[in-house]
CSV table of all heavy atoms in Angstrom, one decimal:
chain,number,residue,atom,x,y,z
A,26,LEU,N,-8.5,11.8,-0.2
A,26,LEU,CA,-9.0,11.4,1.1
A,26,LEU,C,-10.0,10.2,0.9
A,26,LEU,O,-10.0,9.2,1.7
A,26,LEU,CB,-9.7,12.5,1.8
A,26,LEU,CG,-8.9,13.6,2.3
A,26,LEU,CD1,-9.7,14.7,3.0
A,26,LEU,CD2,-7.8,13.1,3.2
A,27,ASP,N,-10.7,10.2,-0.2
A,27,ASP,CA,-11.6,9.1,-0.5
A,27,ASP,C,-10.8,7.8,-0.8
A,27,ASP,O,-11.2,6.7,-0.3
A,27,ASP,CB,-12.5,9.4,-1.7
A,27,ASP,CG,-13.6,10.4,-1.4
A,27,ASP,OD1,-13.9,10.6,-0.3
A,27,ASP,OD2,-14.1,11.0,-2.4
A,28,ALA,N,-9.7,7.9,-1.4
A,28,ALA,CA,-8.8,6.8,-1.7
A,28,ALA,C,-8.3,6.2,-0.4
A,28,ALA,O,-8.2,5.0,-0.2
A,28,ALA,CB,-7.6,7.2,-2.6
A,29,ALA,N,-8.0,7.1,0.6
A,29,ALA,CA,-7.5,6.6,1.9
A,29,ALA,C,-8.7,5.9,2.6
A,29,ALA,O,-8.4,4.8,3.2
A,29,ALA,CB,-7.0,7.7,2.7
A,30,ARG,N,-9.9,6.4,2.5
A,30,ARG,CA,-11.1,5.7,3.1
A,30,ARG,C,-11.2,4.3,2.5
A,30,ARG,O,-11.6,3.4,3.2
A,30,ARG,CB,-12.3,6.5,2.8
A,30,ARG,CG,-12.7,7.5,3.9
A,30,ARG,CD,-14.1,7.9,3.8
A,30,ARG,NE,-14.4,9.3,3.6
A,30,ARG,CZ,-13.9,10.2,2.8
A,30,ARG,NH1,-12.9,9.9,2.0
A,30,ARG,NH2,-14.3,11.4,2.7
A,31,ARG,N,-10.9,4.2,1.2
A,31,ARG,CA,-11.1,2.9,0.5
A,31,ARG,C,-9.8,2.0,0.8
A,31,ARG,O,-9.8,0.9,0.2
A,31,ARG,CB,-11.3,3.0,-1.0
A,31,ARG,CG,-12.6,3.7,-1.3
A,31,ARG,CD,-12.8,3.7,-2.8
A,31,ARG,NE,-11.8,4.3,-3.6
A,31,ARG,CZ,-11.7,5.6,-3.9
A,31,ARG,NH1,-12.7,6.4,-3.6
A,31,ARG,NH2,-10.7,6.1,-4.6
A,32,GLU,N,-8.9,2.5,1.6
A,32,GLU,CA,-7.7,1.8,1.9
A,32,GLU,C,-6.8,1.5,0.7
A,32,GLU,O,-6.1,0.5,0.7
A,32,GLU,CB,-8.0,0.5,2.7
A,32,GLU,CG,-8.6,0.8,4.0
A,32,GLU,CD,-8.9,-0.4,4.9
A,32,GLU,OE1,-8.4,-1.5,4.5
A,32,GLU,OE2,-9.5,-0.2,5.9
A,33,GLU,N,-6.8,2.4,-0.3
A,33,GLU,CA,-6.0,2.3,-1.4
A,33,GLU,C,-4.6,2.9,-1.1
A,33,GLU,O,-3.6,2.6,-1.8
A,33,GLU,CB,-6.6,2.9,-2.7
A,33,GLU,CG,-7.9,2.2,-3.1
A,33,GLU,CD,-8.6,3.0,-4.2
A,33,GLU,OE1,-8.1,4.0,-4.7
A,33,GLU,OE2,-9.8,2.6,-4.5
A,34,ILE,N,-4.6,3.9,-0.2
A,34,ILE,CA,-3.4,4.5,0.3
A,34,ILE,C,-3.5,4.7,1.8
A,34,ILE,O,-4.6,4.5,2.4
A,34,ILE,CB,-3.2,5.9,-0.4
A,34,ILE,CG1,-4.4,6.9,0.0
A,34,ILE,CG2,-3.0,5.9,-1.9
A,34,ILE,CD1,-4.2,8.3,-0.4
A,35,LYS,N,-2.4,4.9,2.4
A,35,LYS,CA,-2.3,5.1,3.9
A,35,LYS,C,-1.8,6.4,4.1
A,35,LYS,O,-0.7,6.8,3.6
A,35,LYS,CB,-1.5,4.0,4.5
A,35,LYS,CG,-1.5,4.1,6.0
A,35,LYS,CD,-1.1,2.8,6.7
A,35,LYS,CE,-2.0,1.7,6.4
A,35,LYS,NZ,-3.0,1.3,7.3
A,36,LEU,N,-2.5,7.2,4.9
A,36,LEU,CA,-2.1,8.6,5.3
A,36,LEU,C,-1.2,8.6,6.5
A,36,LEU,O,-1.5,7.9,7.4
A,36,LEU,CB,-3.3,9.5,5.6
A,36,LEU,CG,-4.3,9.7,4.4
A,36,LEU,CD1,-5.4,10.6,4.9
A,36,LEU,CD2,-3.6,10.2,3.2
A,37,VAL,N,-0.1,9.3,6.4
A,37,VAL,CA,0.7,9.6,7.6
A,37,VAL,C,0.9,11.1,7.7
A,37,VAL,O,0.8,11.8,6.7
A,37,VAL,CB,2.1,8.9,7.4
A,37,VAL,CG1,2.0,7.4,7.5
A,37,VAL,CG2,2.9,9.3,6.2
A,38,THR,N,1.1,11.5,8.9
A,38,THR,CA,1.2,12.9,9.2
A,38,THR,C,2.2,13.2,10.3
A,38,THR,O,2.8,12.3,10.9
A,38,THR,CB,-0.2,13.5,9.4
A,38,THR,OG1,-0.1,14.9,9.4
A,38,THR,CG2,-0.8,13.1,10.7
A,39,SER,N,2.3,14.5,10.7
A,39,SER,CA,3.1,14.9,11.8
A,39,SER,C,2.3,15.8,12.7
A,39,SER,O,1.3,16.4,12.3
A,39,SER,CB,4.4,15.6,11.3
A,39,SER,OG,4.1,16.8,10.8
A,40,ALA,N,2.8,16.0,13.9
A,40,ALA,CA,2.1,16.9,14.8
A,40,ALA,C,2.1,18.3,14.3
A,40,ALA,O,1.2,19.1,14.4
A,40,ALA,CB,2.8,16.9,16.2
A,41,HIS,N,3.2,18.7,13.6
A,41,HIS,CA,3.4,20.0,13.0
A,41,HIS,C,2.3,20.3,12.0
A,41,HIS,O,1.6,21.3,11.9
A,41,HIS,CB,4.8,20.2,12.5
A,41,HIS,CG,4.9,21.5,11.7
A,41,HIS,ND1,5.0,22.7,12.4
A,41,HIS,CD2,4.9,21.8,10.4
A,41,HIS,CE1,5.1,23.7,11.4
A,41,HIS,NE2,5.0,23.1,10.2
A,42,LEU,N,2.2,19.3,11.0
A,42,LEU,CA,1.2,19.5,10.0
A,42,LEU,C,-0.3,19.5,10.6
A,42,LEU,O,-1.1,20.3,10.1
A,42,LEU,CB,1.3,18.3,9.0
A,42,LEU,CG,2.4,18.4,8.0
A,42,LEU,CD1,2.5,17.1,7.2
A,42,LEU,CD2,2.3,19.6,7.1
A,43,LEU,N,-0.5,18.7,11.6
A,43,LEU,CA,-1.9,18.7,12.1
A,43,LEU,C,-2.1,20.0,12.9
A,43,LEU,O,-3.2,20.5,12.9
A,43,LEU,CB,-2.1,17.5,13.0
A,43,LEU,CG,-2.2,16.2,12.3
A,43,LEU,CD1,-2.3,15.1,13.3
A,43,LEU,CD2,-3.4,16.2,11.4
A,44,GLU,N,-1.1,20.6,13.5
A,44,GLU,CA,-1.3,21.9,14.2
A,44,GLU,C,-1.5,23.0,13.2
A,44,GLU,O,-2.4,23.8,13.4
A,44,GLU,CB,0.0,22.2,15.0
A,44,GLU,CG,-0.1,23.5,15.8
A,44,GLU,CD,1.1,23.8,16.6
A,44,GLU,OE1,1.9,22.9,16.8
A,44,GLU,OE2,1.3,25.0,16.9
A,45,GLU,N,-0.8,22.9,12.1
A,45,GLU,CA,-1.0,23.9,11.0
A,45,GLU,C,-2.4,23.8,10.5
A,45,GLU,O,-3.2,24.8,10.3
A,45,GLU,CB,0.0,23.8,9.9
A,45,GLU,CG,-0.1,24.7,8.8
A,45,GLU,CD,0.9,24.5,7.7
A,45,GLU,OE1,1.3,23.4,7.4
A,45,GLU,OE2,1.3,25.6,7.1
A,46,PHE,N,-2.8,22.5,10.2
A,46,PHE,CA,-4.2,22.3,9.7
A,46,PHE,C,-5.2,22.8,10.7
A,46,PHE,O,-6.2,23.5,10.2
A,46,PHE,CB,-4.4,20.8,9.5
A,46,PHE,CG,-5.8,20.4,9.1
A,46,PHE,CD1,-6.2,20.5,7.8
A,46,PHE,CD2,-6.6,19.9,10.1
A,46,PHE,CE1,-7.5,20.1,7.5
A,46,PHE,CE2,-7.9,19.5,9.8
A,46,PHE,CZ,-8.3,19.6,8.5
A,47,SER,N,-5.1,22.6,11.9
A,47,SER,CA,-6.0,23.0,12.9
A,47,SER,C,-6.1,24.5,12.9
A,47,SER,O,-7.2,25.1,13.0
A,47,SER,CB,-5.6,22.5,14.3
A,47,SER,OG,-6.4,23.0,15.3
A,48,ASN,N,-5.0,25.2,12.9
A,48,ASN,CA,-5.0,26.7,12.8
A,48,ASN,C,-5.7,27.2,11.6
A,48,ASN,O,-6.5,28.2,11.7
A,48,ASN,CB,-3.5,27.2,12.9
A,48,ASN,CG,-2.9,27.0,14.2
A,48,ASN,OD1,-3.5,26.8,15.2
A,48,ASN,ND2,-1.6,26.9,14.2
A,49,VAL,N,-5.5,26.6,10.5
A,49,VAL,CA,-6.1,27.1,9.2
A,49,VAL,C,-7.6,26.9,9.2
A,49,VAL,O,-8.4,27.7,8.9
A,49,VAL,CB,-5.4,26.5,8.0
A,49,VAL,CG1,-6.1,26.9,6.7
A,49,VAL,CG2,-3.9,27.0,7.9
A,50,ILE,N,-8.0,25.6,9.6
A,50,ILE,CA,-9.4,25.3,9.5
A,50,ILE,C,-10.2,26.0,10.5
A,50,ILE,O,-11.4,26.2,10.3
A,50,ILE,CB,-9.6,23.7,9.6
A,50,ILE,CG1,-10.9,23.3,9.0
A,50,ILE,CG2,-9.5,23.3,11.0
A,50,ILE,CD1,-10.9,23.2,7.5
A,51,SER,N,-9.6,26.5,11.5
A,51,SER,CA,-10.3,27.3,12.6
A,51,SER,C,-10.4,28.8,12.3
A,51,SER,O,-11.1,29.5,13.0
A,51,SER,CB,-9.5,27.2,13.9
A,51,SER,OG,-9.4,25.8,14.3
A,52,ARG,N,-9.9,29.2,11.2
A,52,ARG,CA,-10.0,30.6,10.9
A,52,ARG,C,-11.5,31.0,10.7
A,52,ARG,O,-12.2,30.3,10.0
A,52,ARG,CB,-9.2,31.0,9.6
A,52,ARG,CG,-7.7,30.9,9.9
A,52,ARG,CD,-6.9,31.2,8.7
A,52,ARG,NE,-5.5,31.0,9.0
A,52,ARG,CZ,-4.5,30.8,8.1
A,52,ARG,NH1,-4.8,30.9,6.8
A,52,ARG,NH2,-3.3,30.7,8.5
A,53,ARG,N,-11.8,32.2,11.2
A,53,ARG,CA,-13.2,32.6,11.2
A,53,ARG,C,-13.9,32.5,9.8
A,53,ARG,O,-15.0,32.0,9.6
A,53,ARG,CB,-13.3,34.0,11.8
A,53,ARG,CG,-14.8,34.4,12.1
A,53,ARG,CD,-14.9,35.7,12.8
A,53,ARG,NE,-14.0,35.7,13.9
A,53,ARG,CZ,-13.5,36.8,14.5
A,53,ARG,NH1,-13.9,38.0,14.0
A,53,ARG,NH2,-12.7,36.8,15.5
A,54,HIS,N,-13.2,33.1,8.8
A,54,HIS,CA,-13.8,33.1,7.4
A,54,HIS,C,-14.0,31.7,6.8
A,54,HIS,O,-14.9,31.5,6.1
A,54,HIS,CB,-12.9,34.0,6.5
A,54,HIS,CG,-11.6,33.5,6.1
A,54,HIS,ND1,-10.5,33.6,7.0
A,54,HIS,CD2,-11.2,32.8,5.0
A,54,HIS,CE1,-9.5,33.0,6.4
A,54,HIS,NE2,-9.9,32.5,5.2
A,55,ILE,N,-13.1,30.8,7.2
A,55,ILE,CA,-13.3,29.4,6.7
A,55,ILE,C,-14.5,28.8,7.5
A,55,ILE,O,-15.3,28.1,6.8
A,55,ILE,CB,-12.0,28.6,6.9
A,55,ILE,CG1,-10.9,29.2,5.9
A,55,ILE,CG2,-12.2,27.1,6.6
A,55,ILE,CD1,-9.6,28.5,6.0
A,56,ALA,N,-14.5,29.0,8.8
A,56,ALA,CA,-15.6,28.4,9.6
A,56,ALA,C,-16.9,28.9,9.1
A,56,ALA,O,-17.9,28.1,9.1
A,56,ALA,CB,-15.3,28.7,11.0
A,57,ARG,N,-17.0,30.1,8.8
A,57,ARG,CA,-18.3,30.7,8.3
A,57,ARG,C,-18.7,30.1,7.0
A,57,ARG,O,-19.9,29.8,6.7
A,57,ARG,CB,-18.2,32.2,8.3
A,57,ARG,CG,-18.6,32.9,9.6
A,57,ARG,CD,-18.8,34.3,9.4
A,57,ARG,NE,-17.6,34.9,10.1
A,57,ARG,CZ,-17.0,36.0,9.8
A,57,ARG,NH1,-17.4,36.8,8.8
A,57,ARG,NH2,-16.0,36.5,10.5
A,58,LYS,N,-17.8,30.1,6.1
A,58,LYS,CA,-18.1,29.6,4.7
A,58,LYS,C,-18.3,28.1,4.6
A,58,LYS,O,-19.1,27.7,3.8
A,58,LYS,CB,-16.9,30.0,3.8
A,58,LYS,CG,-17.2,29.8,2.3
A,58,LYS,CD,-16.2,30.5,1.4
A,58,LYS,CE,-16.5,30.3,0.0
A,58,LYS,NZ,-15.6,30.9,-0.9
A,59,TYR,N,-17.6,27.4,5.5
A,59,TYR,CA,-17.7,25.9,5.4
A,59,TYR,C,-18.0,25.4,6.8
A,59,TYR,O,-17.2,24.9,7.5
A,59,TYR,CB,-16.4,25.3,4.9
A,59,TYR,CG,-15.9,25.8,3.6
A,59,TYR,CD1,-14.9,26.8,3.5
A,59,TYR,CD2,-16.5,25.4,2.4
A,59,TYR,CE1,-14.5,27.3,2.3
A,59,TYR,CE2,-16.1,25.9,1.2
A,59,TYR,CZ,-15.1,26.8,1.2
A,59,TYR,OH,-14.7,27.3,0.0
A,60,PRO,N,-19.3,25.5,7.3
A,60,PRO,CA,-19.7,25.2,8.6
A,60,PRO,C,-19.4,23.7,9.0
A,60,PRO,O,-19.1,23.4,10.1
A,60,PRO,CB,-21.1,25.5,8.7
A,60,PRO,CG,-21.6,25.7,7.4
A,60,PRO,CD,-20.4,26.1,6.5
A,61,LYS,N,-19.5,22.8,8.0
A,61,LYS,CA,-19.3,21.4,8.3
A,61,LYS,C,-17.8,21.1,8.4
A,61,LYS,O,-17.4,20.0,8.9
A,61,LYS,CB,-19.9,20.5,7.3
A,61,LYS,CG,-21.4,20.5,7.4
A,61,LYS,CD,-22.0,19.4,6.5
A,61,LYS,CE,-23.5,19.4,6.7
A,61,LYS,NZ,-24.1,18.3,6.0
A,62,ALA,N,-16.9,22.0,8.0
A,62,ALA,CA,-15.5,21.7,8.0
A,62,ALA,C,-14.9,21.4,9.4
A,62,ALA,O,-14.1,20.6,9.6
A,62,ALA,CB,-14.7,22.9,7.4
A,63,SER,N,-15.5,22.1,10.4
A,63,SER,CA,-15.0,21.8,11.8
A,63,SER,C,-15.2,20.4,12.2
A,63,SER,O,-14.4,19.8,12.9
A,63,SER,CB,-15.6,22.8,12.8
A,63,SER,OG,-17.0,22.7,12.9
A,64,GLU,N,-16.4,19.8,11.9
A,64,GLU,CA,-16.7,18.5,12.2
A,64,GLU,C,-15.7,17.5,11.5
A,64,GLU,O,-15.2,16.6,12.1
A,64,GLU,CB,-18.1,18.1,11.8
A,64,GLU,CG,-19.2,18.8,12.5
A,64,GLU,CD,-20.5,18.6,11.9
A,64,GLU,OE1,-20.7,17.6,11.2
A,64,GLU,OE2,-21.4,19.4,12.1
Side-chain angles (χ1 to χ4, degrees):
L26 293 179
D27 289 341
R30 270 195 238 44
R31 292 188 303 269
E32 298 183 4
E33 296 170 8
I34 60 173
K35 185 158 301 263
L36 299 181
V37 293
T38 192
S39 69
H41 173 76
L42 284 173
L43 289 175
E44 182 179 340
E45 181 181 35
F46 173 80
S47 177
N48 290 336
V49 173
I50 203 76
S51 300
R52 291 179 183 163
R53 191 176 310 158
H54 69 280
I55 292 175
R57 270 190 253 149
K58 189 170 181 178
Y59 306 101
K61 289 189 176 187
S63 63
E64 294 171 22

